[in-house]
Amino acid sequence: MTRNLTTILKSKTKCVAISRDLPTTIIGERINPTGRKAVLEALRAGNFDLVRKDALDQAAAGATVLDINAGVPGADEPTLIQHILRNVVDVIDIPLCIDTANPQALAAALSIHEGKALINSVNGEEKSLDAVLPLAREHGAAVIGLCLDGAGIPPTAEARFSVAARIIERATKAGIALEDVIIDPLAMAMSADSYAGRIALDTIQWVVKEFGVNISMGASNISFGMPDRKYINATYIAMAIHAGLTCPITNPLLPEVNVAILAADLSMGRDEYGMGWIKAYRKREKERKVQ
Amino acid sequence: MTRNLTTILKSKTKCVAISRDLPTTIIGERINPTGRKAVLEALRAGNFDLVRKDALDQAAAGATVLDINAGVPGADEPTLIQHILRNVVDVIDIPLCIDTANPQALAAALSIHEGKALINSVNGEEKSLDAVLPLAREHGAAVIGLCLDGAGIPPTAEARFSVAARIIERATKAGIALEDVIIDPLAMAMSADSYAGRIALDTIQWVVKEFGVNISMGASNISFGMPDRKYINATYIAMAIHAGLTCPITNPLLPEVNVAILAADLSMGRDEYGMGWIKAYRKREKERKVQ
């Protein structure tokens, strides 16, 4: 019998519940300079207007958690991530996902965060487990565990499941509740490996069946190097939701993926009377008329 | 351990293999007067030009099996279905799916069919089992079993699974190979029941896990009564393919559903090097330029 655990995240006054018994939680990915030159340059210039706009736009488009990444090459990441976080909470009260591989930046962000954050991420390497899990425990945060370790990204679902199981074991031993561990199976580019999509889907199903935990995943790597990427991303995210994905990290401003998530929730029986679908349809119609 | 059984269908000289180890088989649905006034009127007038065109167009768009339905109210169905079948095989050599609830029409079609047909359909009612299974056995046809019986369409996945199990038991006892039974879980309108999509998805997974048989399904009822139906249909079919659907009955001329099937096959690791996806993309680009 599959359990559906619930992860609660909190901002200063808001809370979000992530569960397979609820509609999909969209973690907005746009507050991230990687591959976004305008954001990179603005952050380098100490200008946070775009960050503030990205926060508001993503929430308006359906994100209920915002990922915050301060990965500006050469920057002082602990200071920068605090600036970004302060600017975001200044414009919107919404749970945050602290996205960094730098333990100092993570500690800095958590130290000024009010509520219950999501950490993105820990992985199966000892170094990562040792650095991140105590911080998660100390700050009462939930944590995303990536299915990779010192040997790299395992090439099979079995091996990724093993990494997930190890992260879960170590996290719970470190005093983190099972429901506060979220697993990311790693959806890699199918252009490099025809089975990349399948491996992540199978990993999700195995992890969900065994542990009942929530599942996160980036939704766009999968189509890297392929034509008509938006259709692949939309289809893949719906299949991943069927497999057990509950909180994708994605761009809610992309209509194809957003619509696929809504249709997937409807199909899974998580949108009573289709009210969410119909509401979003009316919003799309209104926007079409404005344009 | 899930088995993936293979159903082989044959026309005069062609064969099609249906399996979860292969790309999805599209059964083209358009040779059907239901809800298509032009087809209905043409058939009433004894004009089969549209039937012949539908056969060619659907095959060109990716259907590898064609559904044939002669449901013209008041018509002599056994005679009409023979005319349709002869017109189709006159223009294209492709396996056929004989779609009728009328045992006389079914017998008439099977009597002139060369190869190995798919019968659409039998259901769990004694009357249906008694009429259809001997014909399937006699003509060496495969058969689609609908998850409904004399009491109607069961409202739970458990009860639909039971109907599927009964059909499979009766079919195999009647001498039909297990791999020649294909189950249709019945995807009903989600506008009438928010759980309709989920029930069909769960039924698919249970039937596949227990029997390993192939799964068919109509792909458009699901969105009846909802706005922006094409997005729901596309998303739902991808999720159903993840659940185990192998041979949907659909309209391959609808780009959204067709693209979703291709992306789903890619995501399931059934499209090596993405060659099917890239080939279809190039075809779409060519068609865009022609327009």
Side-chain angles (χ1 to χ4, degrees):
Chain A
M1 190 60 199
T2 305
R3 289 163 300 168
N4 287 335
L5 296 177
T6 301
T7 309
I8 305 286
L9 303 180
K10 293 177 194 164
S11 61
K12 193 170 179 184
T13 69
K14 297 275 175 64
C15 97
V16 165
I18 305 170
S19 161
R20 267 174 298 281
D21 297 323
L22 296 168
T24 301
T25 297
I26 296 176
I27 303 176
E29 73 180 6
R30 284 176 65 79
I31 302 177
N32 188 335
T34 315
R36 291 186 71 202
K37 208 177 162 197
V39 178
L40 190 69
E41 287 175 357
L43 290 178
R44 280 207 163 120
N47 179 340
F48 295 92
D49 291 351
L50 201 47
V51 162
R52 296 163 79 100
K53 183 178 184 310
D54 277 336
L56 293 171
D57 287 351
Q58 291 184 98
T64 54
V65 179
L66 297 180
D67 189 82
I68 288 183
N69 180 303
V72 173
D76 170 10
E77 197 180 338
T79 304
L80 184 56
I81 203 165
Q82 285 191 331
H83 280 304
I84 294 175
L85 193 152
R86 285 198 178 102
N87 274 278
V88 171
V89 302
D90 192 41
V91 292
I92 188 166
D93 185 20
I94 188 171
L96 300 177
C97 176
I98 314 294
D99 181 3
T100 176
N102 176 335
Q104 285 75 40
L106 177 59
L110 290 171
S111 72
I112 61 163
H113 181 275
E114 294 181 88
K116 180 178 172 187
L118 177 59
I119 295 171
N120 182 12
S121 57
V122 71
N123 66 55
E125 271 193 283
E126 285 305 314
K127 191 175 67 175
S128 173
L129 293 164
D130 288 345
V132 175
L133 296 180
L135 283 172
R137 167 75 173 139
E138 179 188 345
H139 294 276
V143 61
I144 296 176
L146 304 185
C147 293
L148 64 86
D149 59 19
I153 299 173
T156 66
E158 290 91 327
R160 288 198 202 169
F161 171 82
S162 297
V163 176
R166 190 161 74 243
I167 292 171
I168 288 169
E169 190 198 349
R170 291 289 297 274
T172 50
K173 272 193 183 158
I176 297 165
L178 178 59
E179 62 264 30
D180 284 337
V181 184
I182 295 178
I183 294 297
D184 181 336
L186 297 175
M188 309 304 292
M190 296 194 291
S191 56
D193 174 0
S194 308
Y195 296 94
R198 179 64 180 268
I199 291 165
L201 292 172
D202 289 354
T203 303
I204 293 174
Q205 288 189 291
W206 290 25
V207 169
V208 167
K209 194 177 174 200
E210 184 68 20
F211 298 107
V213 296
N214 282 303
I215 303 288
S216 184
M217 194 169 75
S220 55
N221 269 350
I222 196 77
S223 61
F224 183 81
M226 287 282 182
D228 267 354
R229 293 184 61 177
K230 61 188 178 183
Y231 301 127
I232 298 176
N233 294 349
T235 301
Y236 191 75
I237 206 165
M239 296 170 83
I241 288 170
H242 182 254
L245 173 67
T246 44
C247 48
I249 300 181
T250 178
N251 178 357
L253 304 178
L254 294 179
E256 290 81 8
V257 170
N258 214 1
V259 165
I261 291 171
L262 289 162
D265 284 336
L266 179 64
S267 300
M268 291 300 282
R270 295 173 193 159
D271 179 8
E272 211 160 7
Y273 308 112
M275 293 311 290
W277 179 258
I278 291 163
K279 192 178 155 195
Y281 163 76
R282 286 186 184 143
K283 194 176 159 207
R284 286 196 299 277
E285 283 299 290
K286 213 170 153 184
E287 286 164 0
R288 264 174 227 156
K289 277 171 197 157
V290 169
Q291 279 164 3
Chain B
M1 191 59 200
T2 304
R3 289 164 299 169
N4 288 335
L5 296 177
T6 301
T7 309
I8 304 285
L9 303 179
K10 293 177 193 164
S11 61
K12 193 170 179 183
T13 70
K14 296 275 176 64
C15 97
V16 166
I18 304 170
S19 161
R20 265 173 299 280
D21 297 322
L22 296 168
T24 301
T25 298
I26 295 177
I27 303 177
E29 72 180 7
R30 284 177 65 77
I31 303 178
N32 188 333
T34 314
R36 292 187 69 204
K37 209 176 161 199
V39 178
L40 189 70
E41 285 175 358
L43 290 177
R44 280 208 163 117
N47 179 338
F48 295 91
D49 291 350
L50 200 47
V51 162
R52 295 162 79 101
K53 183 178 184 313
D54 278 335
L56 294 171
D57 287 351
Q58 291 184 99
T64 54
V65 178
L66 297 180
D67 189 81
I68 287 183
N69 180 302
V72 173
D76 171 11
E77 196 181 337
T79 303
L80 183 57
I81 204 166
Q82 285 192 330
H83 280 305
I84 293 175
L85 194 153
R86 285 198 178 103
N87 274 277
V88 170
V89 301
D90 194 39
V91 292
I92 189 166
D93 184 21
I94 189 171
L96 300 177
C97 176
I98 314 293
D99 181 3
T100 177
N102 176 334
Q104 286 74 41
L106 178 59
L110 290 171
S111 72
I112 61 163
H113 180 275
E114 293 182 87
K116 180 178 172 187
L118 177 59
I119 294 171
N120 182 11
S121 56
V122 71
N123 65 56
E125 271 193 283
E126 284 305 314
K127 192 175 67 175
S128 173
L129 293 164
D130 289 345
V132 175
L133 296 180
L135 282 171
R137 166 77 174 139
E138 180 188 345
H139 294 277
V143 62
I144 296 175
L146 304 185
C147 292
L148 64 87
D149 60 18
I153 299 172
T156 66
E158 290 91 327
R160 288 198 202 169
F161 171 82
S162 297
V163 175
R166 190 160 76 244
I167 292 171
I168 287 169
E169 189 198 350
R170 291 288 298 272
T172 49
K173 272 193 183 158
I176 298 165
L178 178 58
E179 62 263 30
D180 284 337
V181 184
I182 294 177
I183 295 297
D184 181 337
L186 297 175
M188 310 303 293
M190 296 194 290
S191 55
D193 174 1
S194 307
Y195 296 94
R198 179 65 179 267
I199 291 166
L201 292 172
D202 288 353
T203 303
I204 292 173
Q205 288 189 292
W206 290 25
V207 169
V208 166
K209 195 177 174 200
E210 182 69 21
F211 299 108
V213 296
N214 281 302
I215 304 288
S216 184
M217 194 169 77
S220 55
N221 268 349
I222 196 77
S223 61
F224 183 81
M226 287 282 181
D228 268 353
R229 293 184 61 178
K230 61 189 178 184
Y231 300 127
I232 298 176
N233 295 348
T235 301
Y236 190 76
I237 206 165
M239 296 170 83
I241 288 169
H242 182 255
L245 173 67
T246 45
C247 48
I249 301 181
T250 179
N251 178 357
L253 304 178
L254 295 179
E256 289 81 8
V257 171
N258 214 2
V259 165
I261 291 172
L262 289 162
D265 284 336
L266 179 64
S267 300
M268 291 298 283
R270 295 174 193 158
D271 179 9
E272 211 160 5
Y273 307 112
M275 293 311 290
W277 177 258
I278 292 163
K279 192 177 155 194
Y281 164 75
R282 287 187 182 142
K283 195 176 158 205
R284 286 197 300 276
E285 283 299 291
K286 211 170 153 185
E287 285 164 1
R288 266 173 224 156
K289 278 172 197 158
V290 169
Q291 280 165 4

